[in-house]
Amino acid sequence: IRVFVVALIFNLLGGYISNRLSGDVKLLYDSLEKPIFAIPSNLFPILWGIIYVLIAVAVYLNYKNGGRNFIAYVLSMLVNFSWSIIFFGQRLYGIGFFIILLLIVFSVYLGIKYFKNSKVASFIMCVYIVWLSYAGVLNYFIWMYNEM
């Protein structure tokens, strides 16, 4: 259970620090031109909180069943945390899009690695990949609408 707690604290604290370093995320998001399928800004903290908890569960389930892959997990989360700083803090929407693509690669890798130790952990990574895919498409449209 210690692995779960450490992963959960790492995920939530990293997300919080990333958000704080990114400026007024809600104000910026609300001011951007967005596609029709964009979700309201007040849903993002809720969804990311759920995702961070689920990722901690996946890390724990993988570990509990003999898996490790901690370096790939930590690197993927550091990339995850960088997205908000790049996208909101620096307003580099194109680079943000490519960061999401990198996150998808990390998540596919982890999902494959987790599969042999925990099908549930692998499934959680699939849910995360679906979320990242939506976020990537949204990021792409924001990039096109606001920078091009």
Side-chain angles (χ1 to χ4, degrees), residues 101-139:
L101 294 179
L102 181 59
L103 279 171
I104 291 171
V105 170
F106 265 117
S107 300
V108 168
Y109 172 80
L110 287 169
I112 290 167
K113 289 295 189 180
Y114 290 176
F115 187 78
K116 68 180 179 179
N117 298 313
S118 171
K119 307 300 184 263
V120 173
S122 185
F123 176 76
I124 289 170
M125 296 312 294
C126 290
V127 170
Y128 182 41
I129 292 164
V130 169
W131 168 251
L132 288 172
S133 298
Y134 167 77
V137 171
L138 179 59
N139 187 144

Side-chain angles (χ1 to χ4, degrees), residues 1-15 52-53 55-60 63 70 73-74 77 81:
I1 198 94
R2 184 172 25 144
V3 169
F4 171 72
V5 172
V6 169
L8 182 61
I9 291 170
F10 177 69
N11 293 354
L12 294 175
L13 187 60
Y52 286 156
V53 170
I55 291 170
V57 169
V59 169
Y60 169 72
Y63 174 80
F70 291 120
Y73 154 68
V74 169
M77 292 309 296
F81 303 148

